[in-house]
Amino acid sequence: MNRLETDLAGQSSTQGAVPLLSFEQIAMTFPDGTEAIAGIDLSVAPGELVAVVGPSGCGKSTLLRIASGLTTASRGRVTVRSEQLGYVFQDATLLPWRTVLGNVELPAELRKIPKTERRVQAEQAIQLVGLTGFEHHHPRQLSGGMRMRVSLARALTLDPSVFLFDEPFGALDEITRERMNDELLQLFMRKRFAGLFVTHSIYEAAFLARRVVVLSPRPGRVSGEVDVPFGYPRSPALRFEPSFAEITSRISGLLRESHQ
Amino acid sequence: MSARGRPVVETPVVDLLVPRDHTSASGPGDGGAGKARIRAVIGTVVPPIVVATVVVAIWLVVSYEVLSPRQRFLLPPPQQVIRVGFLDFHNLSEVLRGLWSTTQVALVGLFIAIALGLVFAILMAQALWIERSFYPYAVILQTIPIIALVPLIGFWFKYDFRSRVIVCVLISLFPIITNTLFGLHSVDRGLLDLFRLHGAGRVAALRKLQLPAAMPAMFAGFRISAGLSVIGAIVGDFFFREGQPGIGRLIDVYRSQLASERLFTAIFFSSLLGLTVFWVFGFIGNRAIRSWHDSAREPE
């Protein structure tokens, strides 16, 4: 445990490590003239979890769409050094007519990976998120938290080294959300992916990330960054420590500053 | 907060892992559920029976009290309709043969309409310019009184089976196009992104995402069109009289012969046909989507 902790801390503080994901002067203006993002520089090192917080409409989600290639930026350069991207959407976005297994298999199926192989991958991913036994349930039989786990499992199947999270737990109630955060960190400890996590919640950002990047209101630009000095693994009890409160109030202060 | 809604707090891990399985909920406690079901069935069956009894009573009163014996052919009493129309083998078999002919027209017409409707809807869903080019004509098709076209159709395609099917297709096409198109457009944006992200082409997206997502709307369209196809077939019978006479033709003949018992029988069977086709498509649609779609959920 201890070694892992220093390893991770070491990686992210090394300025020289080649980032797996980087944005250079990314700007985005929509065809209707709305300027969503005005020049963002941001990079995520291997094994680093970076959170992005900001007010609604500051282009957080757009940033992820640009990273994944779903949207092309108007200006700037985005580099992704990973063959596969794990993209976890705002909602679970499951196919309601498919079972849990069928949903988790989907990315591999679309990429034409042979049936037996993708079945094995899917079953492993389902186990990883703790849904073994629910393979043949349909989404509507599951709770919101469980649906989100299916969505996580689906993103895990192709074993990507870069993950994009677009406010995945925003629709869940507070308790479920905290539990999902704990579980996400466990997954992170096992897989050590590089992740960019977009969220509204300051607490979620501080609890998950190594660094929290604060964006300004539209057009979004980086208005500050807060280092989160706690190593991994992080215990759920961390949320109640004074040092954690200090971090969240710093993030909160940055957000308020950028609003003026 | 709300007693029926989702629990707000999902504390123990085990709790979170218990699925909300609505279909298996009726498993263990069947004793009470069975009684409730019987009560529900009685609740749905008895009221229509009461209405039917009242209607028959009014019918008898009109036949015997309102109409004089000379006028009674306008509304023969129910037992006479049953004796002449249903129990007389010759009369009944004539009506059933007509019914079968009309059924064939309706089913062939409906299947052609489904095939054409799906093709048009899928094409229109591919690009906005295709939809913009064709949709106005689909609307016009719906707003033209098809009856006005009927003489022209006979003029072009002769007065037989083929023309009856064409009328049937024209009448039942529109709901299939609009409903399918609506269904194809209603796909969740996030899911479309997911498919794009993993390099799915148009065909894969259509087959694995858009068509299944459109199924509830599609079947709603099929069911409406199933009812319309029977109307189309009977309208066709009225105008295109060559070949095996359909039930619409018989209705017209019985009217001209003042054979009201047989007229009533023919009307009864044509309604039954409409009802059956409508019900069969509702049943198939329900079967196809009930494992996942809320609208098809069995009563709890």
Side-chain angles (χ1 to χ4, degrees):
Chain A
M1 274 317 201
N2 226 344
R3 253 198 65 200
L4 197 58
E5 203 174 310
T6 46
D7 260 15
L8 284 167
Q11 268 170 352
S12 49
S13 60
T14 315
Q15 299 294 320
V18 183
L20 289 186
L21 171 64
S22 67
F23 300 91
E24 290 161 66
Q25 280 304 304
I26 285 290
M28 183 71 203
T29 307
F30 288 113
D32 66 358
T34 318
E35 197 184 7
I37 301 174
I40 287 185
D41 285 291
L42 179 63
S43 63
V44 185
E48 189 185 32
L49 203 48
V50 177
V52 175
V53 296
S56 302
C58 71
K60 304 184 295 273
S61 297
T62 310
L63 209 56
L64 298 189
R65 294 180 65 82
I66 290 171
S68 66
L70 285 172
T71 303
T72 313
S74 330
R75 256 188 311 111
R77 214 166 64 145
V78 60
T79 317
V80 183
R81 291 189 183 80
S82 165
E83 267 186 43
Q84 301 292 348
L85 268 178
Y87 201 130
V88 185
F89 294 90
Q90 226 157 18
D91 305 303
T93 57
L94 304 175
L95 300 177
W97 52 90
R98 285 203 180 195
T99 60
V100 168
L101 189 61
N103 268 291
V104 176
E105 273 186 12
L106 184 69
E109 184 183 325
L110 292 176
R111 292 192 181 273
K112 305 200 166 63
I113 289 168
K115 214 171 193 158
T116 45
E117 195 178 325
R118 68 182 190 234
R119 176 63 48 94
V120 174
Q121 287 174 341
E123 272 164 1
Q124 276 169 358
I126 288 170
Q127 195 200 345
L128 225 46
V129 298
L131 281 181
T132 309
F134 292 97
E135 289 89 342
H136 301 292
H137 282 66
H138 279 90
R140 80 156 193 225
Q141 298 170 293
L142 307 176
S143 68
M146 291 169 80
R147 276 186 220 142
M148 217 54 232
R149 284 168 211 241
V150 179
S151 187
L152 274 178
R154 182 178 63 194
L156 281 165
T157 44
L158 297 169
D159 208 16
S161 43
V162 175
F163 268 82
L164 306 171
F165 299 94
D166 189 0
E167 289 184 52
F169 310 135
L172 302 178
D173 62 79
E174 197 61 30
I175 307 238
T176 311
R177 182 181 203 156
E178 284 185 4
R179 182 170 311 123
M180 294 301 292
N181 284 170
D182 294 337
E183 288 179 15
L184 181 66
L185 280 190
Q186 282 167 27
L187 276 176
F188 174 65
M189 296 302 298
R190 289 179 71 154
K191 294 284 179 181
R192 304 236 244 133
F193 45 77
L196 192 58
F197 195 104
V198 160
T199 176
H200 267 125
S201 160
I202 294 166
Y203 303 94
E204 186 172 62
F207 186 73
L208 294 176
R210 176 76 187 77
R211 280 189 293 137
V212 177
V213 174
V214 179
L215 295 189
S216 68
R218 187 183 331 194
R221 47 169 63 87
V222 177
S223 60
E225 193 180 307
V226 175
D227 266 305
V228 184
F230 315 113
Y232 298 98
R234 291 178 181 174
S235 121
L238 174 66
R239 295 186 181 95
F240 308 109
E241 283 176 22
S243 49
F244 184 78
E246 193 193 312
I247 297 291
T248 53
S249 71
R250 272 174 58 197
I251 300 169
S252 170
L254 269 176
L255 264 173
R256 218 168 306 135
E257 250 171 58
S258 75
H259 250 297
Q260 284 153 7
Chain B
M1 264 171 33
S2 65
R4 289 173 46 88
R6 241 161 56 93
V8 180
V9 179
E10 299 179 84
T11 341
V13 180
V14 208
D15 240 29
L16 189 75
L17 291 176
V18 171
R20 260 177 218 89
D21 186 344
H22 295 276
T23 49
S24 72
S26 59
D30 248 349
K35 232 175 224 171
R37 182 167 293 177
I38 290 169
R39 210 173 304 138
V41 168
I42 290 173
T44 51
V45 168
V46 170
I49 289 179
V50 171
V51 172
T53 312
V54 171
V55 168
V56 170
I58 294 173
W59 184 353
L60 283 166
V61 168
V62 173
S63 292
Y64 285 116
E65 302 298 324
V66 179
L67 297 172
S68 66
R70 278 182 52 215
Q71 293 172 311
R72 198 158 291 152
F73 72 92
L74 290 173
L75 186 69
Q79 74 276 12
Q80 197 175 320
V81 171
I82 290 171
R83 184 164 46 76
V84 177
F86 289 80
L87 301 180
D88 180 303
F89 178 75
H90 175 77
N91 289 346
L92 183 68
S93 65
E94 187 178 57
V95 169
L96 289 181
R97 270 201 307 275
L99 181 72
W100 174 233
S101 160
T102 303
T103 307
Q104 284 172 301
V105 172
L107 288 183
V108 172
L110 181 59
F111 283 113
I112 293 175
I114 287 177
L116 279 179
L118 290 183
V119 168
F120 275 120
I122 289 170
L123 272 179
M124 284 195 241
Q126 296 310 301
L128 197 59
W129 67 267
I130 304 181
E131 184 178 340
R132 285 197 177 141
S133 313
F134 286 102
Y135 196 73
Y137 299 104
V139 174
I140 287 173
L141 175 71
Q142 173 66 5
T143 51
I144 293 179
I146 302 293
I147 297 278
L149 287 181
V150 164
L152 185 65
I153 293 166
F155 191 48
W156 283 346
F157 301 102
K158 298 207 288 191
Y159 296 86
D160 57 7
F161 184 81
R162 191 164 44 160
S163 287
R164 289 185 228 162
V165 169
I166 291 172
V167 172
C168 202
V169 171
L170 286 179
I171 285 189
S172 47
L173 189 56
F174 185 74
I176 296 173
I177 296 179
T178 38
N179 278 277
T180 307
L181 192 60
F182 170 78
L184 292 172
H185 280 323
S186 67
V187 172
D188 183 88
R189 235 190 90 106
L191 282 169
L192 279 171
D193 282 344
L194 180 77
F195 272 66
R196 269 182 64 202
L197 199 64
H198 294 290
R202 261 173 204 275
V203 178
L206 187 66
R207 226 163 49 88
K208 293 181 176 173
L209 176 59
Q210 289 174 292
L211 280 179
M215 284 231 296
M218 252 159 60
F219 276 105
F222 292 172
R223 206 161 48 168
I224 297 168
S225 294
L228 290 176
S229 73
V230 173
I231 295 175
I234 290 174
V235 168
D237 285 344
F238 280 139
F239 288 89
F240 308 125
R241 295 162 164 253
E242 282 171 22
Q244 169 79 33
I247 203 160
R249 165 96 188 275
L250 292 178
I251 287 175
D252 198 38
V253 170
Y254 296 151
R255 177 199 54 81
S256 65
Q257 295 174 348
L258 305 184
S260 41
E261 293 87 357
R262 282 180 283 164
L263 179 61
F264 274 64
T265 311
I267 292 172
F268 171 81
F269 279 110
S270 24
S271 329
L272 192 66
L273 174 61
L275 210 63
T276 307
V277 177
F278 184 82
W279 181 80
V280 164
F281 271 82
F283 179 78
I284 296 172
N286 220 37
R287 262 297 153 97
I289 61 174
R290 75 165 172 193
S291 66
W292 61 274
H293 197 261
D294 283 339
S295 77
R297 185 177 291 183
E298 289 164 285
E300 286 167 35

